[in-house]
Amino acid sequence: MKSSSFLTKALTFGISITFLLSSGAAAINLPDQVSSRQCRSYAIRKEWSSLSAVERRTYIDAVLCLQSQPSKLPAGLVPGAISRFDDFVATHINNTLGIHLNGKFLSWHRQFVFLYEKALQQECGYKGTQPYWNWALYLDSPYKLEESLLFDGSNTSMSNNGVYDPSLAPIVVGGGAVLPRGNGGGCVTAGPFVNHTVRLGPFPFELVFTGKVPSNWTVANPRCMQRDLSIAINELYNNASSVAYLMQQTKTITEFQGNMSGADVHAGVHGGGHYILGGSGLDFFASPNDPMFWLHHGMIDKVWSDWQSEDPTQRTWALNGTDTIFDPPGATEITLDYEQTWGYLSAARPTWQMLRVGYEGFCYRYE
Ligand SMILES: *[C@@H]1O[C@H](CO)[C@@H](O)[C@H](O)[C@H]1NC(C)=O
Ligand SMILES: *[C@@H]1O[C@H](CO)[C@@H](O)[C@H](O)[C@H]1NC(C)=O
Ligand SMILES: *[C@@H]1O[C@H](CO)[C@@H](O)[C@H](O)[C@H]1NC(C)=O
Ligand SMILES: *[C@@H]1O[C@H](CO)[C@@H](O)[C@H](O)[C@H]1NC(C)=O
Ligand SMILES: *[C@@H]1O[C@H](CO)[C@@H](O)[C@H](O)[C@H]1NC(C)=O
Ligand SMILES: *[C@@H]1O[C@H](CO)[C@@H](O)[C@H](O)[C@H]1NC(C)=O
Ligand SMILES: *[C@@H]1O[C@H](CO)[C@@H](O)[C@H](O)[C@H]1NC(C)=O
Ligand SMILES: [Cu+2]
């Protein structure tokens, strides 16, 4: 039987906090096309370890629900997308070469995380918000990665490390460096996602150099979820100074997004998070197969939002880069009016709408 404290927590969790708008708020000049639809109230997105056990479990149950709901893609289009959760994986795969290491990366993923959070809420009755993963918090005791609230394999964790796979090849990154591997590599063995069936992929990273995803990307390849958690990579790319550097030392959007992601030995915090996970979450195309993807990108979105708030006039509307991976010469430059798409998940939206948290439907704040 559920205790009354469980019910009280469940009822209060997720109630959004209303802020009164101050007319004295600093005004920033709006580009012509921007209409300023500010939120009247904000939900709070929190770090995983500041959620209560009940809150963590409520979130996990919503994710399990999404994994059990049927796909809503047009019948036959993506045979490997069986669940609603798979629809997000499919959309990411289909867009991978247009949304990374370019001018759409931050804004496309902001809407992508928002759509996932909305699906949890509207399709699975979730009353909370999308949590995030503050990477550096898990480096120090008592939050050692594999014994942490994220990965200890308990019923209120995001499942654990994979079983040790001695045959796993080391990761050789651009520039020739070999990254320290973790002590997993195989299927996760415990926790809520132990039975999570991954269906789309895997894809070799080298596909990025071909410029297109082969048309057979849609087939089903059911298998377990794999992880190779690496605290060494956490230390290398996602330590406390990594975020401090982004906040204090990158002044332009070009520097900021460039330092967040790299395609060589300088992975940045974005690539770093995927390397920490290893396995399913490291697949450049199909990484949303690991539900940790959403906590990782929650943090990416938080760091961007925090960075923008440091100098709203200069940083809110700042864009740099194109619609194609690696920004090759001749690719279309992203402008405020550039229309972005999320396949069947959402209507198209102009880029300016994704540039401000607190506006245009992005009614959340980070705590
Ligand atoms: C964890 O969840 C599983 C599956 O729902 C259940 O069988 C098990 O008893 C739970 N364990 C604990 C310690 O609550
Ligand atoms: C996973 O599946 C097994 C076998 O059906 C079941 O006993 C177990 O409770 C499941 N675990 C979870 C966390 O769903
Ligand atoms: C898809 O096609 C490629 C060749 O274009 C092949 O190497 C790969 O194995 C195929 N994948 C599947 C899942 O059939
Ligand atoms: C922390 O991360 C930065 C990259 O963001 C790296 O240059 C530095 O060496 C890392 N620190 C440690 C102690 O590994
Ligand atoms: C970001 O800057 C830090 C500090 O200079 C550096 O160690 C790291 O390699 C940079 N990352 C990328 C992807 O450029
Ligand atoms: C993007 O940044 C690069 C490097 O600083 C610069 O050459 C380019 O002109 C910028 N593009 C835009 C549209 O600002
Ligand atoms: C994948 O992208 C193509 C080209 O934009 C589009 O026609 C197709 O409908 C997309 N498929 C899915 C599942 O989103
Ligand atoms: Cu992505």
Side-chain angles (χ1 to χ4, degrees):
M1 201 199 260
K2 283 164 182 155
S3 73
S4 63
S5 103
F6 177 96
L7 286 173
T8 311
K9 280 183 178 165
L11 287 170
T12 50
F13 177 44
I15 291 185
S16 58
I17 297 172
T18 304
F19 290 89
L20 292 176
L21 298 179
S22 143
S23 55
I28 55 171
N29 292 329
L30 299 184
D32 291 345
Q33 62 269 65
V34 170
S35 69
S36 201
R37 286 186 292 257
Q38 187 166 9
C39 300
R40 306 228 326 279
S41 65
Y42 303 85
I44 305 296
R45 287 190 182 170
K46 297 183 194 168
E47 211 284 325
W48 184 253
S49 56
S50 35
L51 299 178
S52 69
V54 170
E55 288 172 334
R56 294 197 300 275
R57 189 62 216 189
T58 308
Y59 174 74
I60 288 161
D61 284 336
V63 175
L64 289 169
C65 160
L66 213 61
Q67 292 175 343
S68 71
Q69 297 296 307
S71 164
K72 289 186 178 174
L73 298 179
L77 188 62
V78 185
I82 306 293
S83 73
R84 187 68 178 129
F85 182 90
D86 295 337
D87 289 356
F88 288 84
V89 184
T91 305
H92 189 268
I93 295 167
N94 201 32
N95 286 277
T96 294
L97 299 174
I99 56 170
H100 297 107
L101 298 159
N102 68 9
K104 276 162 75 178
F105 170 67
L106 292 165
S107 48
W108 193 90
H109 285 83
R110 173 167 284 170
Q111 167 79 352
F112 193 46
V113 173
F114 173 71
L115 291 169
Y116 182 78
E117 179 184 56
K118 203 158 61 147
L120 295 174
Q121 294 166 343
Q122 296 182 350
E123 301 173 40
C124 286
Y126 179 51
K127 302 280 197 294
T129 54
Q130 175 58 46
Y132 62 91
W133 169 26
N134 184 354
W135 318 289
L137 277 186
Y138 297 83
L139 277 171
D140 302 314
S141 187
Y143 293 122
K144 290 256 186 292
L145 215 48
E146 287 170 60
E147 293 113 57
S148 71
L149 293 174
L150 265 177
F151 297 120
D152 69 4
S154 68
N155 279 359
T156 52
S157 73
M158 294 296 289
S159 278
N160 61 350
N161 198 4
V163 71
Y164 182 63
D165 175 359
S167 73
L168 191 72
I171 305 165
V172 181
V173 289
V178 178
L179 296 185
R181 57 156 297 175
N183 42 17
C187 301
V188 301
T189 61
F193 301 106
V194 68
N195 296 331
H196 168 44
T197 303
V198 163
R199 301 190 178 95
L200 295 163
F203 302 94
F205 179 75
E206 290 66 37
L207 262 188
V208 301
F209 305 115
T210 68
K212 71 192 271 286
V213 189
S215 59
N216 65 1
W217 71 265
T218 59
V219 304
N221 175 23
R223 59 203 189 278
C224 68
M225 177 167 78
Q226 297 177 314
R227 282 202 187 124
D228 186 28
L229 297 179
S230 172
I231 192 101
I233 293 181
N234 202 153
E235 184 69 45
L236 195 59
Y237 296 130
N238 299 66
N239 59 59
S241 8
S242 312
V243 175
Y245 179 85
L246 280 164
M247 292 301 295
Q248 291 154 21
Q249 307 292 326
T250 63
K251 303 294 181 202
T252 65
I253 191 70
T254 308
E255 289 171 329
F256 176 77
Q257 70 194 14
N259 192 269
M260 245 191 181
S261 308
D264 61 10
V265 63
H266 302 288
V269 293
H270 170 244
H274 289 286
Y275 283 125
I276 296 169
L277 296 172
S280 306
L282 180 53
D283 189 308
F284 194 69
F285 295 81
S287 51
N289 271 324
D290 184 336
M292 275 305 294
F293 174 95
W294 304 97
L295 283 84
H296 177 46
H297 274 276
M299 180 66 179
I300 294 288
D301 191 63
K302 176 190 193 291
V303 175
W304 181 30
S305 162
D306 289 350
W307 182 83
Q308 290 180 305
S309 308
E310 288 291 307
D311 186 354
T313 311
Q314 296 298 321
R315 296 180 180 179
T316 304
W317 312 111
L319 292 168
N320 183 278
T322 71
D323 64 351
T324 307
I325 191 165
F326 305 132
D327 290 333
T332 305
E333 284 285 339
I334 301 304
T335 59
L336 293 172
D337 292 319
Y338 182 99
E339 289 274 325
Q340 298 194 29
T341 57
W342 294 263
Y344 293 88
L345 297 177
S346 139
R349 301 189 77 173
T351 297
W352 66 261
Q353 291 189 359
M354 277 78 73
L355 301 183
R356 281 196 295 182
V357 163
Y359 292 80
E360 306 305 328
F362 296 100
C363 298
Y364 57 83
R365 289 186 175 195
Y366 286 100
E367 183 183 277

